[in-house]
Amino acid sequence: MTRVLVVDDSAFMRHAIRRVLEAQPDLEVVGVASDGIEALEQVRRLRPDVVTLDVEMPRMDGLQTLAILMRDTPLPVVMLSTLTEAGAPATIRALELGAIDFVTKPSPPAVSLASVEPHLLETVRQAARARVRRASPAAPALDTPRIRLAPTAATTRRADRLVAIGCSTGGPKALIDVIPHLPGNLPAGVLVVQHMPAGFTRSLAERLDRASALTVKEAQAGDVPVAGLVLIAPGGWHMTLGADGRVLLNDNPPVHGVRPSVDVLFDSLPALYGRKCVGVVLTGMGSDGADGAEALHKAGAPILVEDASTTVVYGMPRAVAERGVADLQVPLPKIAAAITDLVLNGKPVGRAGRVAV
């Protein structure tokens, strides 16, 4: 039984969320709170397994509450607010602080939760299985602009080498621990698929861009992967590379229930890049990326997965490792250095799946 604390300043929404959750035999609402101060007291007293947390509340808002929770009593938190769509930067900040995922409430709020009920239930259940660690005081200062190298002819043509990264649950925080630590002179383009709906990936890209020596942007059709540029697949669109090496976007049906899909991107890369591509699979639920990683591996590309010890959810990296195509399994703090080494030195010699840390 998963024990849930519901935090929302609206009495109507507290009742509606409670009703949806308690209709499930595996979920129990152990308490409700109307603001962050009350929520912190309830967490200390009730020790819930999962917290659903509103963003905009009196006395102490959701982001302030989340920061204190992750510092003092870390546990799985699902952000649940109308602001998670209208205020996408607040959502990205919440994920950066350690929230597992988010669900957008219907707007106006005084309507049925029926439209988001399946997503809410799935997200709460996933959160209950997630690993949560205490917030690190050494997290990068994402509002501090970084020094970038001036573009040259070599950085304005299609990159000869490529890094392709896929992630899902826990991915935004993982990307914040990876992208800003890649060197500004990395001689490769970088493509990223993060499972995320439309409206949020631009804010994620902007936040990463402010922290990174690399330029980070939401991908557009026709973009070219160049050295020093990170392109993030826009939420709600599959991203591939065409035969000419330019970005293609499509709204074909979801793969593994998601769009964008890591497999869709990875499957488009072997013919273009082969062993000059580095495939990376970070934290995430499910198995998206395993088929594509296998295709890249067969083409000679080194495959790097996040080690179980640091993932929020080990599903996607596990699926790749179980295929026997993970050349390296590396904890999150060492992912950026491992990517850089693979770009510069190529695939390691040795048995697949052996850890080099």
Side-chain angles (χ1 to χ4, degrees):
M1 179 73 71
T2 297
R3 304 170 72 254
V4 185
L5 173 68
V6 174
V7 185
D8 198 292
D9 68 331
S10 163
F12 173 85
M13 290 307 302
R14 291 196 300 273
H15 174 76
I17 296 165
R18 182 169 202 156
R19 179 183 54 78
V20 167
L21 296 178
E22 290 195 329
Q24 305 301 308
D26 59 327
L27 302 176
E28 176 190 7
V29 175
V30 295
V32 297
S34 60
D35 61 43
I37 294 175
E38 186 180 357
L40 294 175
E41 189 279 328
Q42 295 271 41
V43 166
R44 286 190 291 268
R45 184 170 63 86
L46 299 172
R47 298 293 178 182
D49 301 312
V50 177
V51 173
T52 69
L53 184 60
D54 193 10
V55 173
E56 189 173 50
M57 298 182 295
R59 297 206 297 170
M60 181 182 289
D61 67 25
L63 294 181
Q64 292 173 303
T65 306
L66 178 64
I68 294 171
L69 283 174
M70 292 300 105
R71 183 193 68 198
D72 297 341
T73 53
L75 78 168
V77 175
V78 174
M79 304 307 293
L80 182 60
S81 173
T82 52
L83 283 185
T84 55
E85 183 168 9
T91 302
I92 301 305
R93 178 59 180 157
L95 296 172
E96 173 195 339
L97 287 170
I100 299 299
D101 210 336
F102 66 95
V103 176
T104 304
K105 290 191 301 193
S107 184
V111 298
S112 171
L113 280 175
S115 62
V116 300
E117 182 174 329
H119 185 208
L120 171 61
L121 294 173
E122 177 189 9
T123 304
V124 168
R125 288 177 175 128
Q126 288 184 4
R129 299 194 294 271
R131 297 183 182 92
V132 179
R133 281 170 291 278
R134 197 175 301 275
S136 169
L142 295 187
D143 291 314
T144 303
R146 303 296 178 91
I147 298 173
R148 292 197 173 96
L149 299 178
T152 66
T155 62
T156 55
R157 65 170 183 266
R158 183 166 73 88
D160 294 328
R161 282 171 278 187
L162 188 76
V163 177
I165 301 174
C167 44
S168 184
T169 309
K173 190 173 188 304
L175 291 171
I176 286 165
D177 287 337
V178 172
I179 301 299
H181 296 285
L182 293 172
N185 60 351
L186 185 75
V190 181
L191 300 180
V192 176
V193 168
Q194 161 67 48
H195 295 166
M196 191 169 275
F200 297 93
T201 43
R202 179 170 295 179
S203 289
L204 174 62
E206 289 172 352
R207 195 144 182 83
L208 287 167
D209 183 65
R210 290 196 297 271
S212 304
L214 302 173
T215 297
V216 186
K217 67 183 288 285
E218 186 181 60
Q220 297 176 291
D223 281 343
V224 178
V226 299
L229 176 65
V230 180
L231 297 172
I232 297 181
W237 293 85
H238 291 308
M239 177 171 71
T240 64
L241 288 187
D244 61 355
R246 293 182 177 273
V247 167
L248 299 174
L249 302 175
N250 69 73
D251 60 354
N252 292 342
V255 176
H256 305 294
V258 294
R259 187 177 61 213
S261 161
V262 181
D263 274 334
V264 169
L265 172 64
F266 282 13
D267 285 342
S268 73
L269 303 179
L272 281 169
Y273 281 95
R275 64 180 60 251
K276 292 186 177 181
C277 179
V278 176
V280 183
V281 178
L282 305 177
T283 176
M285 185 74 66
S287 62
D288 188 26
D291 291 340
E294 186 171 4
L296 279 169
H297 188 265
K298 288 178 179 177
I303 304 299
L304 167 66
V305 300
E306 183 181 350
D307 188 74
S309 63
T310 59
T311 56
V312 173
V313 179
Y314 188 49
M316 287 168 54
R318 182 201 302 273
V320 176
E322 289 179 347
R323 297 283 182 96
V325 298
D327 296 290
L328 293 175
Q329 298 184 61
V330 180
L332 186 61
K334 298 184 179 182
I335 292 282
I339 289 172
T340 304
D341 182 64
L342 289 171
V343 168
L344 296 177
N345 300 315
K347 189 170 183 175
V349 177
R351 293 176 56 191
R354 297 300 292 270
V355 182
V357 295

